[in-house]
PDB file of all heavy atoms in Angstrom:
ATOM      1  N   THR A 192     -19.132 -22.909  66.719  1.00 85.00           N
ATOM      2  CA  THR A 192     -18.471 -22.959  68.017  1.00 85.00           C
ATOM      3  C   THR A 192     -18.946 -24.158  68.830  1.00 85.00           C
ATOM      4  O   THR A 192     -18.177 -24.784  69.535  1.00 85.00           O
ATOM      5  CB  THR A 192     -18.745 -21.664  68.800  1.00 85.00           C
ATOM      6  OG1 THR A 192     -18.277 -20.562  68.036  1.00 85.00           O
ATOM      7  CG2 THR A 192     -18.046 -21.683  70.139  1.00 85.00           C
ATOM      8  N   GLY A 193     -20.208 -24.487  68.708  1.00 86.00           N
ATOM      9  CA  GLY A 193     -20.783 -25.446  69.640  1.00 86.00           C
ATOM     10  C   GLY A 193     -21.237 -24.698  70.879  1.00 86.00           C
ATOM     11  O   GLY A 193     -20.823 -23.567  71.135  1.00 86.00           O
ATOM     12  N   TYR A 194     -22.072 -25.341  71.673  1.00 92.00           N
ATOM     13  CA  TYR A 194     -22.737 -24.608  72.740  1.00 92.00           C
ATOM     14  C   TYR A 194     -22.030 -24.665  74.093  1.00 92.00           C
ATOM     15  O   TYR A 194     -22.325 -23.874  74.977  1.00 92.00           O
ATOM     16  CB  TYR A 194     -24.169 -25.122  72.882  1.00 92.00           C
ATOM     17  CG  TYR A 194     -24.992 -24.862  71.640  1.00 92.00           C
ATOM     18  CD1 TYR A 194     -25.236 -25.872  70.724  1.00 92.00           C
ATOM     19  CD2 TYR A 194     -25.465 -23.590  71.353  1.00 92.00           C
ATOM     20  CE1 TYR A 194     -25.960 -25.631  69.557  1.00 92.00           C
ATOM     21  CE2 TYR A 194     -26.187 -23.329  70.201  1.00 92.00           C
ATOM     22  CZ  TYR A 194     -26.428 -24.358  69.311  1.00 92.00           C
ATOM     23  OH  TYR A 194     -27.139 -24.104  68.167  1.00 92.00           O
ATOM     24  N   ARG A 195     -21.086 -25.586  74.276  1.00 94.00           N
ATOM     25  CA  ARG A 195     -20.441 -25.681  75.587  1.00 94.00           C
ATOM     26  C   ARG A 195     -19.747 -24.393  76.000  1.00 94.00           C
ATOM     27  O   ARG A 195     -19.991 -23.887  77.110  1.00 94.00           O
ATOM     28  CB  ARG A 195     -19.462 -26.854  75.618  1.00 94.00           C
ATOM     29  CG  ARG A 195     -18.780 -27.017  76.990  1.00 94.00           C
ATOM     30  CD  ARG A 195     -17.688 -28.066  76.948  1.00 94.00           C
ATOM     31  NE  ARG A 195     -16.724 -27.805  75.899  1.00 94.00           N
ATOM     32  CZ  ARG A 195     -15.763 -26.874  75.969  1.00 94.00           C
ATOM     33  NH1 ARG A 195     -15.653 -26.135  77.051  1.00 94.00           N
ATOM     34  NH2 ARG A 195     -14.926 -26.687  74.975  1.00 94.00           N
ATOM     35  N   PRO A 196     -18.876 -23.786  75.162  1.00 96.00           N
ATOM     36  CA  PRO A 196     -18.240 -22.538  75.607  1.00 96.00           C
ATOM     37  C   PRO A 196     -19.220 -21.385  75.788  1.00 96.00           C
ATOM     38  O   PRO A 196     -18.995 -20.497  76.617  1.00 96.00           O
ATOM     39  CB  PRO A 196     -17.217 -22.243  74.502  1.00 96.00           C
ATOM     40  CG  PRO A 196     -17.677 -23.018  73.323  1.00 96.00           C
ATOM     41  CD  PRO A 196     -18.360 -24.231  73.865  1.00 96.00           C
ATOM     42  N   ILE A 197     -20.312 -21.388  75.028  1.00 96.00           N
ATOM     43  CA  ILE A 197     -21.331 -20.345  75.198  1.00 96.00           C
ATOM     44  C   ILE A 197     -22.025 -20.530  76.532  1.00 96.00           C
ATOM     45  O   ILE A 197     -22.263 -19.558  77.279  1.00 96.00           O
ATOM     46  CB  ILE A 197     -22.330 -20.378  74.030  1.00 96.00           C
ATOM     47  CG1 ILE A 197     -21.611 -20.045  72.710  1.00 96.00           C
ATOM     48  CG2 ILE A 197     -23.480 -19.403  74.270  1.00 96.00           C
ATOM     49  CD1 ILE A 197     -22.467 -20.223  71.485  1.00 96.00           C
ATOM     50  N   GLN A 198     -22.333 -21.775  76.883  1.00 96.00           N
ATOM     51  CA  GLN A 198     -22.944 -22.057  78.190  1.00 96.00           C
ATOM     52  C   GLN A 198     -21.992 -21.663  79.314  1.00 96.00           C
ATOM     53  O   GLN A 198     -22.407 -21.067  80.319  1.00 96.00           O
ATOM     54  CB  GLN A 198     -23.281 -23.540  78.292  1.00 96.00           C
ATOM     55  CG  GLN A 198     -23.797 -23.959  79.663  1.00 96.00           C
ATOM     56  CD  GLN A 198     -24.125 -25.434  79.740  1.00 96.00           C
ATOM     57  OE1 GLN A 198     -24.868 -25.945  78.919  1.00 96.00           O
ATOM     58  NE2 GLN A 198     -23.553 -26.123  80.709  1.00 96.00           N
ATOM     59  N   GLU A 199     -20.711 -21.977  79.141  1.00 96.00           N
ATOM     60  CA  GLU A 199     -19.746 -21.620  80.178  1.00 96.00           C
ATOM     61  C   GLU A 199     -19.665 -20.104  80.357  1.00 96.00           C
ATOM     62  O   GLU A 199     -19.538 -19.607  81.483  1.00 96.00           O
ATOM     63  CB  GLU A 199     -18.369 -22.181  79.823  1.00 96.00           C
ATOM     64  CG  GLU A 199     -18.298 -23.705  79.943  1.00 96.00           C
ATOM     65  CD  GLU A 199     -16.941 -24.243  79.531  1.00 96.00           C
ATOM     66  OE1 GLU A 199     -16.129 -23.472  78.971  1.00 96.00           O
ATOM     67  OE2 GLU A 199     -16.694 -25.444  79.762  1.00 96.00           O
ATOM     68  N   ALA A 200     -19.737 -19.374  79.245  1.00 97.00           N
ATOM     69  CA  ALA A 200     -19.732 -17.917  79.343  1.00 97.00           C
ATOM     70  C   ALA A 200     -20.957 -17.414  80.097  1.00 97.00           C
ATOM     71  O   ALA A 200     -20.861 -16.518  80.948  1.00 97.00           O
ATOM     72  CB  ALA A 200     -19.680 -17.307  77.940  1.00 97.00           C
TER      73      ALA A 200
END
Side-chain angles (χ1 to χ4, degrees):
T192 302
Y194 297 101
R195 181 187 54 77
I197 296 173
Q198 175 180 307
E199 289 178 350

